[in-house]
Amino acid sequence: MRGFVEIIRQVFDAIWANKLRSFLTMFGIAWGVASLLLLVGLGEGFRSGNRRGLAEFGTDVIMMWGANVPALPGQTTGLHPYKLTMRDVDAVRAQAPHVRAATGLINRGDLKQVSEYSSTGGAVMGIEANYPQIRNLPIAQGRELTEEDVRLHRMVAILGKKNNQLLFPGRPSLGAFITLNGYRFEVVGVAAKIGRGNNDGDNQKIYIPLTTMVELFPIKGENVPLDAISSIQYQPTTPDLNETAKMDVHRVIAQRNGFDPLNIEGFEEWDTIKQSRSIGMIFTAMDVFLGGVGIVTLALGAVGIINIMLVTVSERTKEIGLRKALGATNKSIMLQFFLEGLTLTGVSGFIGIVAAGLLMAGLHAVMGDGAQGFDPPRLVPWSAAMAMGTLTLAGVVAGLYPARKAAMLEPVEALRKD
């Protein structure tokens, strides 16, 4: 035990004797490790921010809007426009076996919103009672809209968080009344904050029953059905069946509007499941690329340590010869130089990981919960594990070869060196 302690002391004495060289070597490795972790952390921040942003819309949502159908695929003239209707929503529910839930909505941004204290603008949404099951609409106060509200065409409303603050500044809103284009609505609920950052679009909305919206504020236009809606939004039975669910819905909508369901140009839609997968693949490829760059960087650092250790062996040839002449074994010589290389890589790697972690924690404290579409970078466990594994391997290689070279020196030949 005393012999091992003595070897450890000699290791640190040797490193301290070459402070500048050791510092520059360790700084290079620490910088490489920290850069690797920061780059991967930034990528994961974008990944989780995008995933969170999509989750703000709802879970596994596919959105469809009315579109224009070309007479022939690829044709840009003679387009036949169509609007989605409440009857289309019912048909999707009844005839699309791979759709677990569907809802219709109307989105109007031209309705004047007035309370007894203030007035404001923003979107007014006509929704069905199952809207919160598909889209994200958390309730902070009061209640959700019910099936009875929709069936009885009730004049009730849910205020978005921002609209609640604008229409009832510092005052209670539940049970109070607002007017939409002169029609009086009772406030029965207030939504919680949706999203992060300064994007208040979803927080500056008012939600009323879809039937009331169709009755009082229908979509206007030439040849527009009386029950026209802005969008159908639905969820597949499972995320893996999103394409199958879209084929079901295409078949239903195309049949009801008189065109070929294989004519993809006749549909305007957004599949959040597909987008999430595509973005995930991009960030996975980025992680692999950055991880590869990091490993190469650390490998170059290991080559630098091997070079330094070989120089150290060359400089300390006489010392090695003297120690072996005084009885030092090949094992003790080899262990000392091996531990020097391992210490340089291990300590510098640990410093790099701690520095990256502290920097990410500081960014998280400054940024808070993150901006729209981006979360603060975070220390990713697999990248830290990969860095430490690579460093351990680099330390073994960087210490083992020079250590073996030092141990194999003959005492007499070593003492003859100038």
Side-chain angles (χ1 to χ4, degrees):
M1 183 65 184
R2 289 180 60 187
F4 181 75
V5 172
E6 179 63 21
I7 290 174
I8 295 295
R9 186 188 64 78
Q10 292 172 356
V11 165
F12 283 98
D13 285 346
I15 293 174
W16 187 253
N18 297 280
K19 294 184 287 293
L20 181 59
R21 187 165 64 190
S22 299
F23 169 77
L24 293 176
T25 303
M26 295 173 69
F27 178 81
I29 292 180
W31 181 269
V33 170
S35 299
L36 166 65
L37 299 183
L38 283 170
L39 288 172
V40 173
L42 284 169
E44 287 300 306
F46 279 111
R47 183 202 295 267
S48 62
N50 183 267
R51 187 183 296 120
R52 173 180 51 76
L54 289 176
E56 296 292 347
F57 288 102
T59 304
D60 304 333
V61 182
I62 302 173
M63 306 179 188
M64 173 178 280
W65 298 269
N68 296 305
V69 183
L72 295 173
Q75 185 175 325
T76 57
T77 60
L79 300 178
H80 166 62
Y82 69 91
K83 288 286 186 181
L84 299 174
T85 67
M86 293 174 67
R87 287 165 292 164
D88 290 334
V89 182
D90 293 334
V92 167
R93 292 186 185 119
Q95 301 173 30
H98 296 95
V99 172
R100 75 171 185 263
T103 193
L105 61 87
I106 292 178
N107 185 345
R108 292 279 301 268
D110 57 346
L111 305 181
K112 188 175 181 181
Q113 307 162 19
V114 179
S115 72
E116 59 181 304
Y117 307 106
S118 180
S119 64
T120 187
V124 176
M125 307 281 291
I127 62 172
E128 297 185 273
N130 68 340
Y131 179 87
Q133 300 170 23
I134 300 172
R135 294 290 302 272
N136 183 33
L137 181 57
I139 300 297
Q141 303 174 42
R143 64 174 178 84
E144 298 178 341
L145 298 182
T146 66
E147 293 286 356
E148 279 199 348
D149 292 332
V150 177
R151 180 169 56 84
L152 299 176
H153 300 217
R154 285 176 175 164
M155 310 277 280
V156 293
I158 294 174
L159 303 183
K161 180 179 175 66
K162 183 71 171 181
N163 266 25
N164 182 58
Q165 295 170 350
L166 294 173
L167 291 172
F168 295 93
R171 295 174 174 86
S173 57
L174 287 183
F177 290 87
I178 62 170
T179 61
L180 301 177
N181 274 20
Y183 291 96
R184 194 165 180 257
F185 286 77
E186 181 185 358
V187 177
V188 297
V190 177
K193 181 175 174 61
I194 301 174
R196 301 183 188 181
N198 297 321
N199 188 349
D200 276 328
D202 284 330
N203 296 303
Q204 201 165 342
K205 290 180 178 178
I206 293 178
Y207 303 86
I208 65 175
L210 178 59
T211 50
T212 307
M213 188 81 163
V214 169
E215 181 181 347
L216 301 179
F217 315 115
I219 297 176
K220 301 292 186 180
E222 187 177 350
N223 297 323
V224 174
L226 293 177
D227 62 343
I229 59 176
S230 303
S231 175
I232 295 175
Q233 308 195 353
Y234 61 94
Q235 297 167 313
T237 49
T238 66
D240 292 337
L241 292 175
N242 63 316
E243 294 297 334
T244 306
K246 283 195 288 187
M247 290 175 60
D248 287 347
V249 174
H250 288 181
R251 173 179 50 79
V252 172
I253 299 300
Q255 183 179 21
R256 292 181 56 80
N257 289 276
F259 67 94
D260 186 350
L262 298 180
N263 189 351
I264 301 300
E265 295 169 340
F267 301 100
E268 183 179 348
E269 59 192 351
W270 179 33
D271 184 349
T272 64
I273 302 170
K274 183 176 180 180
Q275 177 165 334
S276 179
R277 288 175 185 158
S278 299
I279 292 175
M281 290 174 63
I282 292 172
F283 284 117
T284 297
M286 184 185 299
D287 287 344
V288 171
F289 172 74
L290 294 174
V293 171
I295 289 175
V296 170
T297 301
L298 296 178
L300 292 174
V303 170
I305 291 180
I306 292 173
N307 184 54
I308 286 174
M309 295 305 297
L310 288 173
V311 171
T312 300
V313 169
S314 177
E315 290 177 346
R316 296 165 62 187
T317 301
K318 281 192 173 183
E319 175 197 333
I320 295 168
L322 181 60
R323 288 182 58 195
K324 294 189 74 173
L326 294 175
T329 64
N330 287 350
K331 181 179 178 182
S332 64
I333 297 292
M334 188 170 182
L335 182 61
Q336 177 183 341
F337 283 87
F338 173 74
L339 289 176
E340 283 187 32
L342 199 60
T343 299
L344 285 172
T345 53
V347 172
S348 54
F350 178 76
I351 292 172
I353 292 174
V354 171
L358 291 174
L359 181 57
M360 292 184 205
L363 288 173
H364 191 281
V366 171
M367 296 177 61
D369 288 334
Q372 187 73 16
F374 175 71
D375 285 341
R378 57 188 177 85
L379 193 61
V380 181
W382 71 260
S383 63
M386 182 184 72
M388 287 307 299
T390 305
L391 282 173
T392 300
L393 179 61
V396 169
V397 174
L400 198 57
Y401 175 65
R404 186 177 183 279
K405 184 176 181 181
M408 292 299 103
L409 286 173
E410 291 294 335
V412 175
E413 294 298 325
L415 288 170
R416 288 178 179 174
K417 292 284 184 180
D418 294 330

